[in-house]
Amino acid sequence: MSDEDDLEDFEPDLDGLEREDDEKETEEWEDYRKEGEDSEEWMSTPLTEDVMKEGLSALCKTGNGLAHAYVKLEVKDRDLTDIHLLRSYIHLRYVDVSKNHLTDLSPLNYLTHLLWLKADGNRLRSARLNELPYLQIASFAYNQITDTEGISHPRLASLDLKGNHIHMVTGLDPQKLISLHTLELRGNQLNSTLGINLPKLKNLFLAQNLLKKVEGLENLSNLTTLHLRDNQIETLSGFSKEMKSLQYLNLRGNMVADLGELAKLQNLPKLRALVLLDNPCTDENDYRREALVQLAHLERLDKDFYEEEERAEADEIRQRVKEEAEPEPELELDQSSI
């Protein structure tokens, strides 16, 4: 069996993507990154053959089936500043170079069989690489990346860019990123949701940014999970009926003050779970009931599922409001009495 056949059968492990923000993980990485930024210039430490030998594993057949090569490399937390040596290891499929001091990943352009890449906690300013035809999972979390240019891998399914310095999403071409279904941008400096025009996307994580509203997501018809926790959102405009698959929406820790804004979510037919904790509107009387009156299909608000009694009460209120809004029939005059 060739390398290409093996790659065709590869199924990425993407369980647990519908998660709450992991604050402990964020704090640990922030401490690690601060330590790195506060340190003096790192001594040059290139990847060596000895370190390679320690990190290589998973012996597999090569493309012609007549030879074997190691396909997995783990060299995290080695103070590496240079991975030029990787250019010679063209059969690698799984590479972990996390927690080093790398500023350049260009040697990875030679790894055309690469399936899985983890480069978290380095000093990267860009995630740009040549198109890697088999790359399916890539993580560049907690670096110093400022943009999303140069990411065009056709089989990329999951892209993690959390904890960087990205202000605006640009260069993510839906014609090239035809397999991308999970995009993690938590903990950046985004001030807009424009540029995320990726119709195949299912999971989008935008927590801990500087967002004031939702815009430009109208074409995300396959999106099921949207995390917007800890932003500055005041209005719920921007949610379109074309977002017909959205089931889970996390708006915790924003600035939504008016429960009337929830009416703007009525055009989301599959919305079942909504998180609004730590918004001003949650202080209003009958907050849970009013949310269900506005959103009849909602099954869970914050951490609690709705009970049948709550649903019945909301139905009754909704019916009463509807009746009150209907105009009274005009009385017809009796012609015989004139």
Side-chain angles (χ1 to χ4, degrees), residues 112-298:
T112 55
H113 297 288
L114 195 63
L115 287 169
W116 184 92
L117 170 63
K118 190 170 184 179
D120 300 349
N122 281 282
R123 304 175 72 187
L124 302 171
R125 296 189 179 276
S126 173
R128 181 184 295 273
L129 288 168
N130 292 349
E131 183 178 302
L132 295 171
Y134 299 111
L135 186 63
Q136 297 183 26
I137 298 177
S139 183
F140 305 94
Y142 304 108
N143 278 278
Q144 301 167 28
I145 294 169
T146 58
D147 62 58
T148 55
E149 297 285 341
I151 303 171
S152 58
H153 317 292
R155 297 195 187 188
L156 189 64
S158 177
L159 174 62
D160 191 342
L161 290 163
K162 69 173 170 280
N164 280 285
H165 305 319
I166 301 167
H167 290 268
M168 177 71 73
V169 176
T170 58
L172 297 185
D173 187 347
Q175 302 301 318
K176 294 180 178 179
L177 294 170
I178 55 176
S179 304
L180 189 64
H181 63 62
T182 298
L183 178 59
E184 168 67 272
L185 285 163
R186 173 167 40 119
N188 278 278
Q189 298 166 22
L190 294 173
N191 51 39
S192 173
T193 56
L194 292 172
I196 309 177
N197 182 27
L198 299 162
K200 295 293 181 69
L201 211 58
K202 294 182 178 180
N203 307 290
L204 178 57
F205 300 94
L206 297 171
Q208 299 170 335
N209 279 285
L210 304 173
L211 302 172
K212 290 181 168 27
K213 61 180 179 179
V214 173
E215 56 186 334
L217 302 184
E218 296 84 2
N219 293 327
L220 303 188
S221 59
N222 290 301
L223 193 69
T224 61
T225 301
L226 178 57
H227 278 247
L228 291 163
R229 178 177 176 173
D230 296 332
N231 279 283
Q232 302 167 19
I233 296 170
E234 298 180 7
T235 175
L236 299 184
S237 300
F239 290 91
S240 163
K241 64 181 180 181
E242 279 72 32
M243 300 170 73
K244 58 187 180 181
S245 301
L246 190 61
Q247 300 176 31
Y248 177 86
L249 176 60
N250 190 333
L251 287 161
R252 181 174 185 170
N254 278 279
M255 302 170 67
V256 180
D258 183 3
L259 279 176
E261 288 290 315
L262 296 183
K264 298 174 182 178
L265 303 180
Q266 290 174 354
N267 55 3
L268 301 174
K270 290 192 176 180
L271 185 64
R272 296 295 181 267
L274 176 65
V275 182
L276 279 171
L277 290 167
D278 303 325
N279 278 269
C281 65
T282 62
D283 295 330
E284 292 193 23
N285 292 332
D286 300 320
Y287 151 64
R288 278 185 61 82
R289 187 182 68 185
E290 181 58 28
L292 189 57
V293 169
Q294 296 276 10
L295 304 169
H297 298 297
L298 208 59

